Amino acid sequence: MKKGKELSGQGLVEYALILAGVALAAILILNISGISVRETYCKAVIALGGKACDENKDCSFAFDDSSDLDAWESNSGNELSLEDGKACITGDGKSAQSYMNSRCTDSLLSDDYSISLSGVTVDEVIDNDKNTGFDTWFRAKDDNNGYLFIYNSRTDYVRFWKVVNGKWVRLSQKKVPANWGNQELNFKIDVKGDTFTAYQDGEEILQASDGAYTDGEIGMRNKPSSKSCIGDISVENISE
Amino acid sequence: MSLEDSPSLEDFSDDFLSPPPDKADKKKRFSVTLVALVLLIVILLGINFAQSGAYAQLAGKGSLSGYAVNESGDAILVEIFVFGTDIAGLSGDDGYFEIENIPAGERSIIIAYGDIATEKIASINAGAKTDLGSVTVPTELETDY
């Protein structure tokens, strides 16, 4: 009788050891292959008809309510302003202002995403030798480290930059029509793997490749001497 | 069912109880599974470690040198950063720079003049110095600050 009990207990320990080992191996495999456990879990939940992850997937700001401004943190302490259903940043003529959004990135299922910005307008508000234009941060650690897609309305260029410790490495550039400064712009930036593609009104305008930063926040940035306004921003994961 | 109708013990003499499992065989199968699992975990941990910063530290450190020049070929004073680390340095007025204690491996080197930089990929070998030679750093690039 005593021997029988010992055999039963030993069997449980054996099964527990194997289960723990399989779990550890699975975690290590996911870790090594770079697959997000959360992403995998959420995909499974969605496939089974669940909505918990689906609800968090969307990250959009229509800027028709002041609560849409809460997620954006400024590097200068200034706040975004709401004007006619748009979020606006007004430059001081000295330095650019960045507004980072950590909440948006946290809710995304992966680091491959598409940023859509509609109704973007840029106006020169201070007449000096500083730049005017609107930029978009992506995969940024902070406003000194990450990638930038920029539109410079003073020089009529769009560019992709990699920023490291506040030092700018140019990845690609393209001259754009001078009349962009007088119209509403609708940008889309696809961030997929190490390839970044920018579109304006659905037309591809610029591409760059770099693998330094694999994750991070999104953000918007106004150049020193301009006032930039944005109608809507939405960020969605790019489906495979 | 009355006691008289109940089957006798003899009725179950052949197959009432299946023969007890071979304990030695069961133990052997468990041992093989466990060893295989442990081996898999050790291999995965090894891969994980090889990808970590700690491995880079153990793999050794090397150094890097070079000369920074502008578009005209004149020596310039630059800042040097090793991407993904806290390692940084400055060149001399003659443009020469040397950075030590860089973890071995393929490293992205950011060489900056003012706020504009260029990037070089350098292969750092433990105990050796990698010479980047003459590096042209843009000084007249249009900025987007």
Side-chain angles (χ1 to χ4, degrees), chain A residues 5 26 48 62 67 92 101 103 139 153 161 177 201 204 208 219 230:
Chain A
K5 274 185 181 174
L48 293 170
S67 63
D92 59 6
N101 184 322
R103 197 176 76 187
R139 290 189 181 167
S153 62
W161 293 91
D201 270 344
E204 183 179 324
I230 307 97

Side-chain angles (χ1 to χ4, degrees), chain B residues 59-126:
Chain B
K61 292 175 179 176
S63 58
L64 177 82
S65 65
Y67 280 95
V69 295
N70 62 15
E71 293 91 335
S72 309
D74 300 324
I76 51 172
L77 198 149
V78 293
E79 289 176 82
I80 303 103
F81 301 93
V82 181
F83 184 80
T85 73
D86 294 329
I87 301 166
L90 277 175
S91 73
D93 289 337
D94 58 355
Y96 180 74
F97 59 85
E98 190 170 330
I99 312 286
E100 295 178 335
N101 294 320
I102 303 172
E106 292 281 305
R107 296 283 160 192
S108 157
I109 311 297
I110 307 293
I111 305 166
Y113 178 81
D115 288 333
I116 292 292
T118 191
E119 179 182 32
K120 294 285 172 189
I121 303 298
S123 185
I124 306 294
N125 298 309

Side-chain angles (χ1 to χ4, degrees), chain A residues 14 18 21 25 28-29 31-32 131 150 152 155 157 159 161-162 165 167-168 170 212-213 221 223-224, chain B residues 23 30 37 40-41 44-45 47-48 51 79 81 83 110 112 114-117 119 141-145:
Chain A
E14 287 165 2
I18 290 174
L28 282 169
I29 288 168
N31 190 302
I32 289 165
N131 277 317
I150 71 94
N152 190 324
T155 59
Y157 266 97
R159 295 187 178 99
W161 293 91
K162 172 165 68 174
N165 294 338
K167 310 298 180 187
W168 295 43
R170 193 170 72 192
Y213 298 111
R221 183 178 185 275
K223 294 190 190 297
Chain B
K23 285 176 196 165
F30 171 73
L37 204 57
L40 178 68
I41 290 170
L44 291 172
L45 280 172
I47 296 170
N48 217 12
Q51 294 175 339
E79 289 176 82
F81 301 93
F83 184 80
I110 307 293
D115 288 333
I116 292 292
E119 179 182 32
L141 213 60
E142 202 169 74
T143 65
D144 283 313
Y145 316 138

Side-chain angles (χ1 to χ4, degrees), chain A residues 28-238:
Chain A
L28 282 169
I29 288 168
L30 289 172
N31 190 302
I32 289 165
S33 61
I35 296 168
S36 156
V37 178
R38 179 175 182 269
E39 185 181 348
T40 309
Y41 175 75
C42 285
K43 278 179 180 171
V45 169
I46 293 162
L48 293 170
K51 289 183 178 176
C53 295
D54 220 4
E55 283 171 355
N56 290 329
K57 202 167 72 170
D58 181 47
C59 181
S60 56
F61 301 87
F63 298 122
D64 46 16
D65 188 296
S66 61
S67 63
D68 277 349
L69 305 180
D70 296 343
W72 302 88
E73 291 171 16
S74 165
N75 63 338
S76 59
N78 293 341
E79 291 189 3
L80 285 164
S81 62
L82 271 186
E83 294 178 28
D84 301 325
K86 289 189 174 189
C88 294
I89 315 167
T90 306
D92 59 6
K94 294 172 186 169
S95 56
Q97 293 162 298
S98 287
Y99 292 81
M100 310 305 284
N101 184 322
S102 59
R103 197 176 76 187
C104 210
T105 323
D106 291 344
S107 68
L108 292 166
L109 295 184
S110 78
D111 297 304
D112 290 344
Y113 47 73
S114 182
I115 308 168
S116 300
L117 306 115
S118 62
V120 176
T121 57
V122 177
D123 296 304
E124 185 180 57
V125 288
I126 296 170
D127 185 13
N128 62 10
D129 61 351
K130 296 283 188 180
N131 277 317
T132 56
F134 175 75
D135 311 334
T136 308
W137 285 103
F138 57 95
R139 290 189 181 167
K141 307 294 175 194
D142 51 45
D143 56 6
N144 274 316
N145 295 279
Y147 294 111
L148 270 174
F149 169 71
I150 71 94
Y151 162 52
N152 190 324
S153 62
R154 171 153 291 169
T155 59
D156 299 315
Y157 266 97
V158 286
R159 295 187 178 99
F160 277 112
W161 293 91
K162 172 165 68 174
V163 184
V164 180
N165 294 338
K167 310 298 180 187
W168 295 43
V169 181
R170 193 170 72 192
L171 300 177
S172 62
Q173 67 171 357
K174 188 178 183 181
K175 188 85 174 167
V176 297
N179 65 0
W180 274 26
N182 308 321
Q183 63 187 63
E184 283 201 345
L185 303 166
N186 301 297
F187 291 121
K188 185 163 86 80
I189 304 152
D190 284 350
V191 181
K192 189 167 188 182
D194 59 4
T195 304
F196 321 131
T197 313
Y199 303 82
Q200 207 294 107
D201 270 344
E203 188 182 329
E204 183 179 324
I205 49 170
L206 189 64
Q207 198 170 69
S209 286
D210 193 83
Y213 298 111
T214 54
D215 56 46
E217 300 178 4
I218 65 155
M220 43 191 180
R221 183 178 185 275
N222 178 50
K223 294 190 190 297
S225 294
S226 55
K227 176 181 179 179
S228 296
C229 293
I230 307 97
D232 296 270
I233 294 182
S234 70
V235 188
E236 289 179 341
N237 279 120
I238 296 174

